[in-house]
Amino acid sequence: GENVEQHPSTLSVQEGDSAVIKCTYSDSASNYFPWYKQELGKRPQLIIDIRSNVGEKKDQRIAVTLNKTAKHFSLHITETQPEDSAVYFCAASKAGTASKLTFGTGTRLQVTL
Amino acid sequence: NAGVTQTPKFQVLKTGQSMTLQCAQDMNHEYMSWYRQDPGMGLRLIHYSVGAGITDQGEVPNGYNVSRSTTEDFPLRLLSAAPSQTSVYFCASSSWGRTQAAEAFFGQGTRLTVV
């Protein structure tokens, strides 16, 4: 089955700096890669996703890049703010398998003033 | 629009007890799933369903049963609770993308402690 690895497990940045979280996947058939943000005690919420037919997607301060050849994808957050502090999860799935998600182990992002 | 609703939010069980975690969605999604979240391990798929009457196992199905009698509801049953089942449980739903996967929406979670 699919295996998703996520790094780093913790990340501390100063407000205004950029943060990058990286994930690798094992199943070359995976074609959907969402990123979820989870605040303490809350549910995971989708912040951005990318499909395998594009290499990059951007939404304001958040961007995701995908390298299908190397089987890795990354989350980029620019101009970080204290409210970006949370745990971020990457995931992978593929069409035709009912959207089963395989998650990475999470990155705890701390944005300091 | 309530989205995905889970009950209860918190539960304490004694070892050997059974219980059912409820999950309901009002988005007419075909696909529903249950995940457990443990520290340092992300979310792991327990069981999933692609529609009423159809269920299948995920990565960690042992000790859990599911059924899907309606599109809206997908309860998770713990048959005989064990301390290893102490976790936070999330239900999720999405449209079943036959040609491409769709966004998953999560419930608010159930924090289960087995003593």
Side-chain angles (χ1 to χ4, degrees), chain A residues 32 36 38 43 46 51 89 93 95-96 98-101, chain B residues 31 35 37 48 50 96 99 101-104 106-107:
Chain A
Y32 176 65
Y36 286 85
Q38 187 179 31
R43 74 190 78 190
L46 181 74
R51 301 183 190 279
F89 291 96
S93 71
S99 301
K100 291 188 294 181
L101 291 167
Chain B
Y31 178 77
Y35 294 86
Q37 183 175 29
Y48 68 98
V50 302
W96 182 22
T99 57
E103 175 185 353
F106 285 84

mmCIF file with all atom_site columns, all heavy atoms in Angstrom, chain A residues 32 36 38 43 46 51 89 93 95-96 98-101, chain B residues 31 35 37 48 50 96 99 101-104 106-107:
data_model
loop_
_atom_site.group_PDB
_atom_site.id
_atom_site.type_symbol
_atom_site.label_atom_id
_atom_site.label_alt_id
_atom_site.label_comp_id
_atom_site.label_asym_id
_atom_site.label_entity_id
_atom_site.label_seq_id
_atom_site.pdbx_PDB_ins_code
_atom_site.Cartn_x
_atom_site.Cartn_y
_atom_site.Cartn_z
_atom_site.occupancy
_atom_site.B_iso_or_equiv
_atom_site.pdbx_formal_charge
_atom_site.auth_seq_id
_atom_site.auth_comp_id
_atom_site.auth_asym_id
_atom_site.auth_atom_id
_atom_site.pdbx_PDB_model_num
ATOM 1   N N   . TYR A 1 32  ? -3.597  12.453 -6.006  1.00 0.00 ? 32  TYR A N   1
ATOM 2   C CA  . TYR A 1 32  ? -4.249  13.549 -5.279  1.00 0.00 ? 32  TYR A CA  1
ATOM 3   C C   . TYR A 1 32  ? -3.506  13.742 -3.967  1.00 0.00 ? 32  TYR A C   1
ATOM 4   O O   . TYR A 1 32  ? -3.319  12.785 -3.208  1.00 0.00 ? 32  TYR A O   1
ATOM 5   C CB  . TYR A 1 32  ? -5.718  13.212 -5.030  1.00 0.00 ? 32  TYR A CB  1
ATOM 6   C CG  . TYR A 1 32  ? -6.457  14.221 -4.198  1.00 0.00 ? 32  TYR A CG  1
ATOM 7   C CD1 . TYR A 1 32  ? -6.659  15.516 -4.658  1.00 0.00 ? 32  TYR A CD1 1
ATOM 8   C CD2 . TYR A 1 32  ? -6.962  13.889 -2.947  1.00 0.00 ? 32  TYR A CD2 1
ATOM 9   C CE1 . TYR A 1 32  ? -7.344  16.449 -3.897  1.00 0.00 ? 32  TYR A CE1 1
ATOM 10  C CE2 . TYR A 1 32  ? -7.648  14.814 -2.185  1.00 0.00 ? 32  TYR A CE2 1
ATOM 11  C CZ  . TYR A 1 32  ? -7.836  16.091 -2.663  1.00 0.00 ? 32  TYR A CZ  1
ATOM 12  O OH  . TYR A 1 32  ? -8.514  17.013 -1.913  1.00 0.00 ? 32  TYR A OH  1
ATOM 13  N N   . TYR A 1 36  ? -3.606  19.250 5.162   1.00 0.00 ? 36  TYR A N   1
ATOM 14  C CA  . TYR A 1 36  ? -4.567  19.594 6.197   1.00 0.00 ? 36  TYR A CA  1
ATOM 15  C C   . TYR A 1 36  ? -3.877  20.329 7.331   1.00 0.00 ? 36  TYR A C   1
ATOM 16  O O   . TYR A 1 36  ? -2.741  20.024 7.690   1.00 0.00 ? 36  TYR A O   1
ATOM 17  C CB  . TYR A 1 36  ? -5.251  18.339 6.757   1.00 0.00 ? 36  TYR A CB  1
ATOM 18  C CG  . TYR A 1 36  ? -6.272  17.744 5.824   1.00 0.00 ? 36  TYR A CG  1
ATOM 19  C CD1 . TYR A 1 36  ? -5.905  16.867 4.818   1.00 0.00 ? 36  TYR A CD1 1
ATOM 20  C CD2 . TYR A 1 36  ? -7.623  18.075 5.954   1.00 0.00 ? 36  TYR A CD2 1
ATOM 21  C CE1 . TYR A 1 36  ? -6.848  16.333 3.961   1.00 0.00 ? 36  TYR A CE1 1
ATOM 22  C CE2 . TYR A 1 36  ? -8.574  17.545 5.097   1.00 0.00 ? 36  TYR A CE2 1
ATOM 23  C CZ  . TYR A 1 36  ? -8.177  16.683 4.107   1.00 0.00 ? 36  TYR A CZ  1
ATOM 24  O OH  . TYR A 1 36  ? -9.115  16.158 3.257   1.00 0.00 ? 36  TYR A OH  1
ATOM 25  N N   . GLN A 1 38  ? -4.370  21.296 11.361  1.00 0.00 ? 38  GLN A N   1
ATOM 26  C CA  . GLN A 1 38  ? -5.125  20.898 12.538  1.00 0.00 ? 38  GLN A CA  1
ATOM 27  C C   . GLN A 1 38  ? -4.684  21.721 13.737  1.00 0.00 ? 38  GLN A C   1
ATOM 28  O O   . GLN A 1 38  ? -3.541  21.599 14.187  1.00 0.00 ? 38  GLN A O   1
ATOM 29  C CB  . GLN A 1 38  ? -4.964  19.412 12.825  1.00 0.00 ? 38  GLN A CB  1
ATOM 30  C CG  . GLN A 1 38  ? -5.866  18.912 13.947  1.00 0.00 ? 38  GLN A CG  1
ATOM 31  C CD  . GLN A 1 38  ? -5.716  17.425 14.201  1.00 0.00 ? 38  GLN A CD  1
ATOM 32  O OE1 . GLN A 1 38  ? -4.646  16.848 14.013  1.00 0.00 ? 38  GLN A OE1 1
ATOM 33  N NE2 . GLN A 1 38  ? -6.794  16.786 14.638  1.00 0.00 ? 38  GLN A NE2 1
ATOM 34  N N   . ARG A 1 43  ? -10.619 19.578 14.405  1.00 0.00 ? 43  ARG A N   1
ATOM 35  C CA  . ARG A 1 43  ? -10.585 18.619 13.304  1.00 0.00 ? 43  ARG A CA  1
ATOM 36  C C   . ARG A 1 43  ? -9.580  19.063 12.245  1.00 0.00 ? 43  ARG A C   1
ATOM 37  O O   . ARG A 1 43  ? -9.314  20.250 12.108  1.00 0.00 ? 43  ARG A O   1
ATOM 38  C CB  . ARG A 1 43  ? -11.982 18.495 12.690  1.00 0.00 ? 43  ARG A CB  1
ATOM 39  C CG  . ARG A 1 43  ? -12.397 19.698 11.833  1.00 0.00 ? 43  ARG A CG  1
ATOM 40  C CD  . ARG A 1 43  ? -13.857 19.651 11.450  1.00 0.00 ? 43  ARG A CD  1
ATOM 41  N NE  . ARG A 1 43  ? -14.733 20.063 12.545  1.00 0.00 ? 43  ARG A NE  1
ATOM 42  C CZ  . ARG A 1 43  ? -16.056 19.940 12.540  1.00 0.00 ? 43  ARG A CZ  1
ATOM 43  N NH1 . ARG A 1 43  ? -16.660 19.372 11.493  1.00 0.00 ? 43  ARG A NH1 1
ATOM 44  N NH2 . ARG A 1 43  ? -16.773 20.344 13.545  1.00 0.00 ? 43  ARG A NH2 1
ATOM 45  N N   . LEU A 1 46  ? -8.849  21.080 5.348   1.00 0.00 ? 46  LEU A N   1
ATOM 46  C CA  . LEU A 1 46  ? -8.097  21.203 4.114   1.00 0.00 ? 46  LEU A CA  1
ATOM 47  C C   . LEU A 1 46  ? -7.674  22.647 3.891   1.00 0.00 ? 46  LEU A C   1
ATOM 48  O O   . LEU A 1 46  ? -8.486  23.565 3.985   1.00 0.00 ? 46  LEU A O   1
ATOM 49  C CB  . LEU A 1 46  ? -8.967  20.738 2.951   1.00 0.00 ? 46  LEU A CB  1
ATOM 50  C CG  . LEU A 1 46  ? -8.312  20.773 1.572   1.00 0.00 ? 46  LEU A CG  1
ATOM 51  C CD1 . LEU A 1 46  ? -7.312  19.622 1.458   1.00 0.00 ? 46  LEU A CD1 1
ATOM 52  C CD2 . LEU A 1 46  ? -9.350  20.674 0.467   1.00 0.00 ? 46  LEU A CD2 1
ATOM 53  N N   . ARG A 1 51  ? -3.399  18.090 -7.692  1.00 0.00 ? 51  ARG A N   1
ATOM 54  C CA  . ARG A 1 51  ? -3.573  16.841 -8.418  1.00 0.00 ? 51  ARG A CA  1
ATOM 55  C C   . ARG A 1 51  ? -2.366  16.633 -9.309  1.00 0.00 ? 51  ARG A C   1
ATOM 56  O O   . ARG A 1 51  ? -1.636  17.569 -9.618  1.00 0.00 ? 51  ARG A O   1
ATOM 57  C CB  . ARG A 1 51  ? -4.875  16.879 -9.205  1.00 0.00 ? 51  ARG A CB  1
ATOM 58  C CG  . ARG A 1 51  ? -6.068  17.102 -8.297  1.00 0.00 ? 51  ARG A CG  1
ATOM 59  C CD  . ARG A 1 51  ? -7.402  17.075 -9.022  1.00 0.00 ? 51  ARG A CD  1
ATOM 60  N NE  . ARG A 1 51  ? -8.482  17.518 -8.134  1.00 0.00 ? 51  ARG A NE  1
ATOM 61  C CZ  . ARG A 1 51  ? -9.077  16.751 -7.238  1.00 0.00 ? 51  ARG A CZ  1
ATOM 62  N NH1 . ARG A 1 51  ? -8.695  15.489 -7.109  1.00 0.00 ? 51  ARG A NH1 1
ATOM 63  N NH2 . ARG A 1 51  ? -10.036 17.228 -6.465  1.00 0.00 ? 51  ARG A NH2 1
ATOM 64  N N   . PHE A 1 89  ? -0.622  18.239 8.118   1.00 0.00 ? 89  PHE A N   1
ATOM 65  C CA  . PHE A 1 89  ? -0.529  16.875 7.623   1.00 0.00 ? 89  PHE A CA  1
ATOM 66  C C   . PHE A 1 89  ? -0.586  16.878 6.103   1.00 0.00 ? 89  PHE A C   1
ATOM 67  O O   . PHE A 1 89  ? -1.462  17.531 5.512   1.00 0.00 ? 89  PHE A O   1
ATOM 68  C CB  . PHE A 1 89  ? -1.687  16.012 8.137   1.00 0.00 ? 89  PHE A CB  1
ATOM 69  C CG  . PHE A 1 89  ? -1.639  15.728 9.608   1.00 0.00 ? 89  PHE A CG  1
ATOM 70  C CD1 . PHE A 1 89  ? -2.358  16.515 10.500  1.00 0.00 ? 89  PHE A CD1 1
ATOM 71  C CD2 . PHE A 1 89  ? -0.894  14.676 10.101  1.00 0.00 ? 89  PHE A CD2 1
ATOM 72  C CE1 . PHE A 1 89  ? -2.328  16.254 11.866  1.00 0.00 ? 89  PHE A CE1 1
ATOM 73  C CE2 . PHE A 1 89  ? -0.855  14.402 11.456  1.00 0.00 ? 89  PHE A CE2 1
ATOM 74  C CZ  . PHE A 1 89  ? -1.576  15.198 12.342  1.00 0.00 ? 89  PHE A CZ  1
ATOM 75  N N   . SER A 1 93  ? -3.713  10.076 -2.116  1.00 0.00 ? 93  SER A N   1
ATOM 76  C CA  . SER A 1 93  ? -4.724  9.083  -2.484  1.00 0.00 ? 93  SER A CA  1
ATOM 77  C C   . SER A 1 93  ? -4.793  9.023  -4.001  1.00 0.00 ? 93  SER A C   1
ATOM 78  O O   . SER A 1 93  ? -4.104  9.753  -4.706  1.00 0.00 ? 93  SER A O   1
ATOM 79  C CB  . SER A 1 93  ? -6.093  9.421  -1.892  1.00 0.00 ? 93  SER A CB  1
ATOM 80  O OG  . SER A 1 93  ? -6.655  10.538 -2.541  1.00 0.00 ? 93  SER A OG  1
ATOM 81  N N   . ALA A 1 95  ? -7.548  8.154  -7.502  1.00 0.00 ? 95  ALA A N   1
ATOM 82  C CA  . ALA A 1 95  ? -8.904  7.981  -8.009  1.00 0.00 ? 95  ALA A CA  1
ATOM 83  C C   . ALA A 1 95  ? -9.198  6.500  -8.165  1.00 0.00 ? 95  ALA A C   1
ATOM 84  O O   . ALA A 1 95  ? -8.298  5.682  -8.391  1.00 0.00 ? 95  ALA A O   1
ATOM 85  C CB  . ALA A 1 95  ? -9.039  8.682  -9.353  1.00 0.00 ? 95  ALA A CB  1
ATOM 86  N N   . GLY A 1 96  ? -10.488 6.178  -8.011  1.00 0.00 ? 96  GLY A N   1
ATOM 87  C CA  . GLY A 1 96  ? -10.890 4.795  -8.184  1.00 0.00 ? 96  GLY A CA  1
ATOM 88  C C   . GLY A 1 96  ? -10.746 3.967  -6.933  1.00 0.00 ? 96  GLY A C   1
ATOM 89  O O   . GLY A 1 96  ? -11.123 2.818  -6.898  1.00 0.00 ? 96  GLY A O   1
ATOM 90  N N   . ALA A 1 98  ? -11.882 5.222  -3.943  1.00 0.00 ? 98  ALA A N   1
ATOM 91  C CA  . ALA A 1 98  ? -12.818 5.858  -3.023  1.00 0.00 ? 98  ALA A CA  1
ATOM 92  C C   . ALA A 1 98  ? -12.143 6.869  -2.111  1.00 0.00 ? 98  ALA A C   1
ATOM 93  O O   . ALA A 1 98  ? -12.514 7.007  -0.955  1.00 0.00 ? 98  ALA A O   1
ATOM 94  C CB  . ALA A 1 98  ? -13.561 4.810  -2.202  1.00 0.00 ? 98  ALA A CB  1
ATOM 95  N N   . SER A 1 99  ? -11.159 7.560  -2.618  1.00 0.00 ? 99  SER A N   1
ATOM 96  C CA  . SER A 1 99  ? -10.539 8.660  -1.870  1.00 0.00 ? 99  SER A CA  1
ATOM 97  C C   . SER A 1 99  ? -9.948  8.227  -0.534  1.00 0.00 ? 99  SER A C   1
ATOM 98  O O   . SER A 1 99  ? -9.945  9.004  0.414   1.00 0.00 ? 99  SER A O   1
ATOM 99  C CB  . SER A 1 99  ? -11.539 9.790  -1.650  1.00 0.00 ? 99  SER A CB  1
ATOM 100 O OG  . SER A 1 99  ? -12.016 10.276 -2.872  1.00 0.00 ? 99  SER A OG  1
ATOM 101 N N   . LYS A 1 100 ? -9.440  7.024  -0.435  1.00 0.00 ? 100 LYS A N   1
ATOM 102 C CA  . LYS A 1 100 ? -8.767  6.634  0.805   1.00 0.00 ? 100 LYS A CA  1
ATOM 103 C C   . LYS A 1 100 ? -7.495  7.450  0.954   1.00 0.00 ? 100 LYS A C   1
ATOM 104 O O   . LYS A 1 100 ? -6.653  7.462  0.067   1.00 0.00 ? 100 LYS A O   1
ATOM 105 C CB  . LYS A 1 100 ? -8.422  5.148  0.763   1.00 0.00 ? 100 LYS A CB  1
ATOM 106 C CG  . LYS A 1 100 ? -9.617  4.236  0.829   1.00 0.00 ? 100 LYS A CG  1
ATOM 107 C CD  . LYS A 1 100 ? -9.199  2.784  0.983   1.00 0.00 ? 100 LYS A CD  1
ATOM 108 C CE  . LYS A 1 100 ? -8.478  2.283  -0.237  1.00 0.00 ? 100 LYS A CE  1
ATOM 109 N NZ  . LYS A 1 100 ? -8.085  0.868  -0.096  1.00 0.00 ? 100 LYS A NZ  1
ATOM 110 N N   . LEU A 1 101 ? -7.366  8.097  2.071   1.00 0.00 ? 101 LEU A N   1
ATOM 111 C CA  . LEU A 1 101 ? -6.219  8.950  2.311   1.00 0.00 ? 101 LEU A CA  1
ATOM 112 C C   . LEU A 1 101 ? -5.179  8.235  3.154   1.00 0.00 ? 101 LEU A C   1
ATOM 113 O O   . LEU A 1 101 ? -5.506  7.635  4.178   1.00 0.00 ? 101 LEU A O   1
ATOM 114 C CB  . LEU A 1 101 ? -6.651  10.232 3.025   1.00 0.00 ? 101 LEU A CB  1
ATOM 115 C CG  . LEU A 1 101 ? -7.491  11.219 2.206   1.00 0.00 ? 101 LEU A CG  1
ATOM 116 C CD1 . LEU A 1 101 ? -8.093  12.266 3.125   1.00 0.00 ? 101 LEU A CD1 1
ATOM 117 C CD2 . LEU A 1 101 ? -6.644  11.870 1.136   1.00 0.00 ? 101 LEU A CD2 1
ATOM 118 N N   . TYR B 2 31  ? -18.910 8.485  -0.088  1.00 0.00 ? 31  TYR B N   1
ATOM 119 C CA  . TYR B 2 31  ? -17.787 7.872  0.606   1.00 0.00 ? 31  TYR B CA  1
ATOM 120 C C   . TYR B 2 31  ? -17.700 8.362  2.045   1.00 0.00 ? 31  TYR B C   1
ATOM 121 O O   . TYR B 2 31  ? -17.740 9.562  2.302   1.00 0.00 ? 31  TYR B O   1
ATOM 122 C CB  . TYR B 2 31  ? -16.500 8.221  -0.136  1.00 0.00 ? 31  TYR B CB  1
ATOM 123 C CG  . TYR B 2 31  ? -15.253 7.696  0.506   1.00 0.00 ? 31  TYR B CG  1
ATOM 124 C CD1 . TYR B 2 31  ? -14.888 6.367  0.390   1.00 0.00 ? 31  TYR B CD1 1
ATOM 125 C CD2 . TYR B 2 31  ? -14.435 8.536  1.256   1.00 0.00 ? 31  TYR B CD2 1
ATOM 126 C CE1 . TYR B 2 31  ? -13.754 5.885  0.991   1.00 0.00 ? 31  TYR B CE1 1
ATOM 127 C CE2 . TYR B 2 31  ? -13.293 8.058  1.865   1.00 0.00 ? 31  TYR B CE2 1
ATOM 128 C CZ  . TYR B 2 31  ? -12.953 6.729  1.729   1.00 0.00 ? 31  TYR B CZ  1
ATOM 129 O OH  . TYR B 2 31  ? -11.832 6.246  2.331   1.00 0.00 ? 31  TYR B OH  1
ATOM 130 N N   . TYR B 2 35  ? -11.048 7.263  10.820  1.00 0.00 ? 35  TYR B N   1
ATOM 131 C CA  . TYR B 2 35  ? -9.623  7.298  11.096  1.00 0.00 ? 35  TYR B CA  1
ATOM 132 C C   . TYR B 2 35  ? -9.424  7.357  12.606  1.00 0.00 ? 35  TYR B C   1
ATOM 133 O O   . TYR B 2 35  ? -10.250 7.882  13.333  1.00 0.00 ? 35  TYR B O   1
ATOM 134 C CB  . TYR B 2 35  ? -8.975  8.546  10.479  1.00 0.00 ? 35  TYR B CB  1
ATOM 135 C CG  . TYR B 2 35  ? -8.982  8.579  8.971   1.00 0.00 ? 35  TYR B CG  1
ATOM 136 C CD1 . TYR B 2 35  ? -10.082 9.070  8.274   1.00 0.00 ? 35  TYR B CD1 1
ATOM 137 C CD2 . TYR B 2 35  ? -7.881  8.145  8.241   1.00 0.00 ? 35  TYR B CD2 1
ATOM 138 C CE1 . TYR B 2 35  ? -10.090 9.110  6.880   1.00 0.00 ? 35  TYR B CE1 1
ATOM 139 C CE2 . TYR B 2 35  ? -7.877  8.179  6.856   1.00 0.00 ? 35  TYR B CE2 1
ATOM 140 C CZ  . TYR B 2 35  ? -8.988  8.666  6.190   1.00 0.00 ? 35  TYR B CZ  1
ATOM 141 O OH  . TYR B 2 35  ? -8.995  8.703  4.819   1.00 0.00 ? 35  TYR B OH  1
ATOM 142 N N   . GLN B 2 37  ? -6.429  8.806  15.340  1.00 0.00 ? 37  GLN B N   1
ATOM 143 C CA  . GLN B 2 37  ? -5.252  9.665  15.404  1.00 0.00 ? 37  GLN B CA  1
ATOM 144 C C   . GLN B 2 37  ? -4.541  9.446  16.717  1.00 0.00 ? 37  GLN B C   1
ATOM 145 O O   . GLN B 2 37  ? -5.105  9.685  17.791  1.00 0.00 ? 37  GLN B O   1
ATOM 146 C CB  . GLN B 2 37  ? -5.639  11.141 15.257  1.00 0.00 ? 37  GLN B CB  1
ATOM 147 C CG  . GLN B 2 37  ? -4.435  12.063 15.237  1.00 0.00 ? 37  GLN B CG  1
ATOM 148 C CD  . GLN B 2 37  ? -4.808  13.504 14.969  1.00 0.00 ? 37  GLN B CD  1
ATOM 149 O OE1 . GLN B 2 37  ? -5.893  13.958 15.295  1.00 0.00 ? 37  GLN B OE1 1
ATOM 150 N NE2 . GLN B 2 37  ? -3.894  14.242 14.346  1.00 0.00 ? 37  GLN B NE2 1
ATOM 151 N N   . TYR B 2 48  ? -13.773 1.945  5.768   1.00 0.00 ? 48  TYR B N   1
ATOM 152 C CA  . TYR B 2 48  ? -14.388 2.913  4.889   1.00 0.00 ? 48  TYR B CA  1
ATOM 153 C C   . TYR B 2 48  ? -15.562 2.284  4.148   1.00 0.00 ? 48  TYR B C   1
ATOM 154 O O   . TYR B 2 48  ? -15.732 1.070  4.134   1.00 0.00 ? 48  TYR B O   1
ATOM 155 C CB  . TYR B 2 48  ? -13.370 3.492  3.902   1.00 0.00 ? 48  TYR B CB  1
ATOM 156 C CG  . TYR B 2 48  ? -12.854 2.513  2.876   1.00 0.00 ? 48  TYR B CG  1
ATOM 157 C CD1 . TYR B 2 48  ? -13.377 2.459  1.595   1.00 0.00 ? 48  TYR B CD1 1
ATOM 158 C CD2 . TYR B 2 48  ? -11.807 1.650  3.192   1.00 0.00 ? 48  TYR B CD2 1
ATOM 159 C CE1 . TYR B 2 48  ? -12.889 1.559  0.659   1.00 0.00 ? 48  TYR B CE1 1
ATOM 160 C CE2 . TYR B 2 48  ? -11.310 0.748  2.273   1.00 0.00 ? 48  TYR B CE2 1
ATOM 161 C CZ  . TYR B 2 48  ? -11.852 0.713  1.007   1.00 0.00 ? 48  TYR B CZ  1
ATOM 162 O OH  . TYR B 2 48  ? -11.375 -0.179 0.085   1.00 0.00 ? 48  TYR B OH  1
ATOM 163 N N   . VAL B 2 50  ? -18.019 2.907  0.461   1.00 0.00 ? 50  VAL B N   1
ATOM 164 C CA  . VAL B 2 50  ? -18.221 3.639  -0.791  1.00 0.00 ? 50  VAL B CA  1
ATOM 165 C C   . VAL B 2 50  ? -19.700 3.842  -1.100  1.00 0.00 ? 50  VAL B C   1
ATOM 166 O O   . VAL B 2 50  ? -20.047 4.387  -2.145  1.00 0.00 ? 50  VAL B O   1
ATOM 167 C CB  . VAL B 2 50  ? -17.524 2.936  -1.979  1.00 0.00 ? 50  VAL B CB  1
ATOM 168 C CG1 . VAL B 2 50  ? -16.037 2.807  -1.698  1.00 0.00 ? 50  VAL B CG1 1
ATOM 169 C CG2 . VAL B 2 50  ? -18.132 1.574  -2.250  1.00 0.00 ? 50  VAL B CG2 1
ATOM 170 N N   . TRP B 2 96  ? -17.284 10.442 -4.010  1.00 0.00 ? 96  TRP B N   1
ATOM 171 C CA  . TRP B 2 96  ? -16.398 9.402  -4.542  1.00 0.00 ? 96  TRP B CA  1
ATOM 172 C C   . TRP B 2 96  ? -16.025 9.756  -5.966  1.00 0.00 ? 96  TRP B C   1
ATOM 173 O O   . TRP B 2 96  ? -16.833 9.672  -6.859  1.00 0.00 ? 96  TRP B O   1
ATOM 174 C CB  . TRP B 2 96  ? -17.085 8.052  -4.506  1.00 0.00 ? 96  TRP B CB  1
ATOM 175 C CG  . TRP B 2 96  ? -16.186 6.937  -4.996  1.00 0.00 ? 96  TRP B CG  1
ATOM 176 C CD1 . TRP B 2 96  ? -14.828 6.934  -5.051  1.00 0.00 ? 96  TRP B CD1 1
ATOM 177 C CD2 . TRP B 2 96  ? -16.600 5.677  -5.485  1.00 0.00 ? 96  TRP B CD2 1
ATOM 178 N NE1 . TRP B 2 96  ? -14.383 5.752  -5.530  1.00 0.00 ? 96  TRP B NE1 1
ATOM 179 C CE2 . TRP B 2 96  ? -15.430 4.949  -5.801  1.00 0.00 ? 96  TRP B CE2 1
ATOM 180 C CE3 . TRP B 2 96  ? -17.849 5.074  -5.678  1.00 0.00 ? 96  TRP B CE3 1
ATOM 181 C CZ2 . TRP B 2 96  ? -15.485 3.660  -6.299  1.00 0.00 ? 96  TRP B CZ2 1
ATOM 182 C CZ3 . TRP B 2 96  ? -17.889 3.787  -6.178  1.00 0.00 ? 96  TRP B CZ3 1
ATOM 183 C CH2 . TRP B 2 96  ? -16.721 3.102  -6.482  1.00 0.00 ? 96  TRP B CH2 1
ATOM 184 N N   . THR B 2 99  ? -12.950 9.454  -11.309 1.00 0.00 ? 99  THR B N   1
ATOM 185 C CA  . THR B 2 99  ? -11.824 9.828  -12.158 1.00 0.00 ? 99  THR B CA  1
ATOM 186 C C   . THR B 2 99  ? -10.773 10.624 -11.400 1.00 0.00 ? 99  THR B C   1
ATOM 187 O O   . THR B 2 99  ? -9.641  10.710 -11.818 1.00 0.00 ? 99  THR B O   1
ATOM 188 C CB  . THR B 2 99  ? -12.309 10.649 -13.361 1.00 0.00 ? 99  THR B CB  1
ATOM 189 O OG1 . THR B 2 99  ? -13.020 11.795 -12.866 1.00 0.00 ? 99  THR B OG1 1
ATOM 190 C CG2 . THR B 2 99  ? -13.224 9.820  -14.239 1.00 0.00 ? 99  THR B CG2 1
ATOM 191 N N   . ALA B 2 101 ? -9.798  11.899 -7.098  1.00 0.00 ? 101 ALA B N   1
ATOM 192 C CA  . ALA B 2 101 ? -10.170 11.908 -5.691  1.00 0.00 ? 101 ALA B CA  1
ATOM 193 C C   . ALA B 2 101 ? -10.732 13.264 -5.305  1.00 0.00 ? 101 ALA B C   1
ATOM 194 O O   . ALA B 2 101 ? -10.402 14.287 -5.901  1.00 0.00 ? 101 ALA B O   1
ATOM 195 C CB  . ALA B 2 101 ? -8.951  11.573 -4.837  1.00 0.00 ? 101 ALA B CB  1
ATOM 196 N N   . ALA B 2 102 ? -11.583 13.263 -4.303  1.00 0.00 ? 102 ALA B N   1
ATOM 197 C CA  . ALA B 2 102 ? -12.268 14.483 -3.867  1.00 0.00 ? 102 ALA B CA  1
ATOM 198 C C   . ALA B 2 102 ? -11.888 14.836 -2.439  1.00 0.00 ? 102 ALA B C   1
ATOM 199 O O   . ALA B 2 102 ? -11.432 13.997 -1.676  1.00 0.00 ? 102 ALA B O   1
ATOM 200 C CB  . ALA B 2 102 ? -13.767 14.296 -3.982  1.00 0.00 ? 102 ALA B CB  1
ATOM 201 N N   . GLU B 2 103 ? -12.122 16.106 -2.081  1.00 0.00 ? 103 GLU B N   1
ATOM 202 C CA  . GLU B 2 103 ? -11.801 16.603 -0.744  1.00 0.00 ? 103 GLU B CA  1
ATOM 203 C C   . GLU B 2 103 ? -12.567 15.827 0.316   1.00 0.00 ? 103 GLU B C   1
ATOM 204 O O   . GLU B 2 103 ? -13.757 15.539 0.158   1.00 0.00 ? 103 GLU B O   1
ATOM 205 C CB  . GLU B 2 103 ? -12.165 18.078 -0.652  1.00 0.00 ? 103 GLU B CB  1
ATOM 206 C CG  . GLU B 2 103 ? -11.972 18.676 0.743   1.00 0.00 ? 103 GLU B CG  1
ATOM 207 C CD  . GLU B 2 103 ? -12.444 20.105 0.836   1.00 0.00 ? 103 GLU B CD  1
ATOM 208 O OE1 . GLU B 2 103 ? -12.800 20.680 -0.221  1.00 0.00 ? 103 GLU B OE1 1
ATOM 209 O OE2 . GLU B 2 103 ? -12.462 20.652 1.953   1.00 0.00 ? 103 GLU B OE2 1
ATOM 210 N N   . ALA B 2 104 ? -11.891 15.495 1.399   1.00 0.00 ? 104 ALA B N   1
ATOM 211 C CA  . ALA B 2 104 ? -12.518 14.841 2.546   1.00 0.00 ? 104 ALA B CA  1
ATOM 212 C C   . ALA B 2 104 ? -12.854 15.876 3.610   1.00 0.00 ? 104 ALA B C   1
ATOM 213 O O   . ALA B 2 104 ? -12.045 16.746 3.916   1.00 0.00 ? 104 ALA B O   1
ATOM 214 C CB  . ALA B 2 104 ? -11.585 13.781 3.122   1.00 0.00 ? 104 ALA B CB  1
ATOM 215 N N   . PHE B 2 106 ? -14.008 16.403 7.584   1.00 0.00 ? 106 PHE B N   1
ATOM 216 C CA  . PHE B 2 106 ? -13.900 15.666 8.833   1.00 0.00 ? 106 PHE B CA  1
ATOM 217 C C   . PHE B 2 106 ? -14.919 16.130 9.865   1.00 0.00 ? 106 PHE B C   1
ATOM 218 O O   . PHE B 2 106 ? -15.277 17.317 9.914   1.00 0.00 ? 106 PHE B O   1
ATOM 219 C CB  . PHE B 2 106 ? -12.493 15.828 9.416   1.00 0.00 ? 106 PHE B CB  1
ATOM 220 C CG  . PHE B 2 106 ? -11.457 15.025 8.693   1.00 0.00 ? 106 PHE B CG  1
ATOM 221 C CD1 . PHE B 2 106 ? -10.852 15.505 7.539   1.00 0.00 ? 106 PHE B CD1 1
ATOM 222 C CD2 . PHE B 2 106 ? -11.091 13.767 9.158   1.00 0.00 ? 106 PHE B CD2 1
ATOM 223 C CE1 . PHE B 2 106 ? -9.903  14.759 6.869   1.00 0.00 ? 106 PHE B CE1 1
ATOM 224 C CE2 . PHE B 2 106 ? -10.141 13.006 8.489   1.00 0.00 ? 106 PHE B CE2 1
ATOM 225 C CZ  . PHE B 2 106 ? -9.549  13.503 7.341   1.00 0.00 ? 106 PHE B CZ  1
ATOM 226 N N   . GLY B 2 107 ? -15.354 15.186 10.689  1.00 0.00 ? 107 GLY B N   1
ATOM 227 C CA  . GLY B 2 107 ? -16.131 15.523 11.865  1.00 0.00 ? 107 GLY B CA  1
ATOM 228 C C   . GLY B 2 107 ? -15.242 16.112 12.936  1.00 0.00 ? 107 GLY B C   1
ATOM 229 O O   . GLY B 2 107 ? -14.020 16.195 12.772  1.00 0.00 ? 107 GLY B O   1
#
